[in-house]
Amino acid sequence: MTQVRLRRLRSTPAIRSMFAENEITPRQLVQPYFVVTGKGIKRETRPGSGLWQLSPDMLREEILPLQRGGVGGVMLFGVPDHKRDDGDGLEEQLEPLRQAITETKSAAPTLPLFADVCLCAYTQHGHCGLVKGEIIVNDESVKVLSEMAVHLASWGVDFVCPSDMMDGRVKAIRQALDETGHQQTSILSYAIKMASAFYGPFREAAHSAPGFGDRKSYQMNAANRREARRELLLDLEEGADALLIKPALTNLDLIRDAREACDAPLFAYHVSGEYLMIKAAADAGLLDFQRAVDESLLSIRRAGADVIVTYAARPLTLR
Ligand code: PBG
């Protein structure tokens, strides 16, 4: 019996690269940005956090090098100055986002542009939908979310991305978009979104932490696999063009399940806490940042994600 020698195919960099089953290229990465009001603002939430807050006027110079580097797209989150109670004045609150979308589309018309649809950064209470008493109400929230999606579409985003986890919002948003002439605007729905501990740094960047309670009555319980499949198939049926799963590394099994359950494009969001865990460990001298990020993103691709939303898109594209 001759020895099976798998090491032969690992013996040189060129051979390893030839037989690599997955790779990370910028075109499959989407970089998130937090859009704040004002002028001339470009800052990280903390030094080196990778969570960038920009005023609309700063997006052009930020995005052009990423586009030249071949980045897949950018995703915008609005951070309004004034929080409102429950849905009035939304259009005014969206003004910085309108400017940011206009600016980005004029700087880079062909770069796929994604924008978040959710209320947590816009409301006093910081929940993803409207609140009555202590209840996060569903159908009323869906109406406001649909209005928000129509605004974003009318300003020119390619993808509206509902991350709120209300029931029925994909269907309502699709209908609202179609009725207002935005048949070409795609919906990337957060289909499987866990009530996760890993969103902390994002909430700091978006000023969107809930003022009372938690998000467990609308975001999923990390214990559930069958329910994840239901969420996924439901969003597809309601008209989602692409589906998103998050966090990524704690749900690699669900990404694989999703890949096998449907043929729609799959996004995974390597969320703020996942990114900053690596950054903090690297800053403490415990591991190599670049290698840990590469390995994490590769594992997400290997699980079955087509596209990864990640704060690492910027450094990887610019390196
Ligand atoms: C808003 C939203 C959140 C994230 C994306 N959209 C936070 C939350 O649900 O509290 C988290 C992304 C990240 O942590 O990078 N609903």
Side-chain angles (χ1 to χ4, degrees):
M1 263 297 273
T2 52
Q3 174 71 46
V4 176
R5 294 185 186 276
L6 293 177
R7 289 186 55 191
R8 277 196 290 264
L9 300 187
R10 298 176 200 146
S11 53
T12 71
I15 288 173
R16 288 195 291 275
S17 154
M18 172 177 277
F19 295 115
E21 297 172 37
N22 290 283
E23 62 182 337
I24 300 300
T25 56
R27 75 174 176 86
Q28 297 146 334
L29 304 178
V30 172
Q31 172 70 31
Y33 288 108
F34 300 91
V35 177
V36 297
T37 58
K39 279 211 155 58
I41 299 166
K42 177 171 166 177
R43 61 181 177 226
E44 286 175 291
T45 50
R46 300 172 185 219
S49 74
L51 275 67
W52 288 92
Q53 296 176 325
L54 276 83
S55 53
D57 59 316
M58 300 301 277
L59 275 159
R60 175 179 296 264
E61 65 159 57
E62 168 64 22
I63 275 162
L64 287 177
L66 284 190
Q67 187 184 35
R68 276 196 294 278
V71 80
V74 302
M75 183 178 279
L76 302 180
F77 294 88
V79 188
D81 270 347
H82 302 290
K83 313 271 180 192
R84 294 292 182 92
D85 259 331
D86 288 4
D88 12 293
L90 185 67
E91 192 170 353
E92 189 185 315
Q93 286 181 301
L94 289 171
E95 178 55 22
L97 208 50
R98 186 191 67 74
Q99 291 170 20
I101 292 166
T102 312
E103 187 68 21
T104 308
K105 270 292 162 192
S106 92
T110 56
L111 181 68
L113 183 58
F114 299 74
D116 187 59
V117 175
C118 192
L119 298 181
C120 58
Y122 296 85
T123 50
Q124 301 264 2
H125 48 67
H127 279 287
C128 302
L130 307 180
V131 166
K132 288 212 176 109
E134 301 257 299
I135 305 288
I136 292 82
V137 292
N138 195 88
D139 298 8
E140 293 88 334
S141 303
V142 167
K143 283 201 191 92
V144 181
L145 292 161
S146 303
E147 279 167 35
M148 183 169 174
V150 169
H151 284 307
L152 300 175
S154 72
W155 300 327
V157 301
D158 301 292
F159 292 81
V160 293
C161 312
S163 67
D164 53 282
M165 293 299 279
M166 298 299 125
D167 287 324
R169 91 280 203 214
V170 174
K171 187 174 179 196
I173 289 173
R174 184 70 271 159
Q175 201 171 350
L177 291 174
D178 288 353
E179 282 168 9
T180 51
H182 303 297
Q183 290 87 354
Q184 281 304 313
T185 308
S186 297
I187 300 176
L188 165 61
S189 89
Y190 287 59
I192 303 172
K193 177 176 183 179
M194 298 302 176
S196 169
F198 293 100
Y199 306 150
F202 173 102
R203 293 179 188 172
E204 182 177 284
H207 307 152
S208 67
F212 70 89
D214 54 38
R215 303 210 199 291
K216 290 180 183 168
S217 76
Y218 43 105
Q219 299 181 349
M220 275 189 60
N221 181 345
N224 293 354
R225 180 180 181 199
R226 295 193 309 264
E227 186 190 2
R229 186 186 162 88
R230 298 184 75 194
E231 279 285 2
L232 194 81
L233 297 178
L234 198 56
D235 280 10
L236 259 189
E237 200 177 293
E238 290 186 24
D241 298 279
L243 302 160
L244 186 144
I245 297 166
K246 80 187 235 193
L249 293 179
T250 50
N251 296 301
L252 292 175
D253 57 333
L254 303 183
I255 296 174
R256 172 49 48 187
D257 284 350
R259 181 68 298 150
E260 283 159 15
C262 74
D263 293 323
L266 281 185
F267 286 59
Y269 199 145
H270 181 241
V271 302
S272 55
E274 299 181 271
Y275 180 76
L276 280 163
M277 261 195 311
I278 297 175
K279 183 78 171 82
D283 288 350
L286 296 171
L287 48 75
D288 180 81
F289 179 75
Q290 204 62 66
R291 289 182 52 211
V293 167
D294 282 352
E295 186 177 332
S296 301
L297 298 185
L298 260 184
S299 72
I300 298 166
R301 292 269 303 150
R302 193 186 68 232
D306 299 297
V307 183
I308 307 173
V309 183
T310 171
Y311 305 91
R314 183 180 194 273
L316 292 188
T317 303
L318 299 178
R319 88 172 153 190

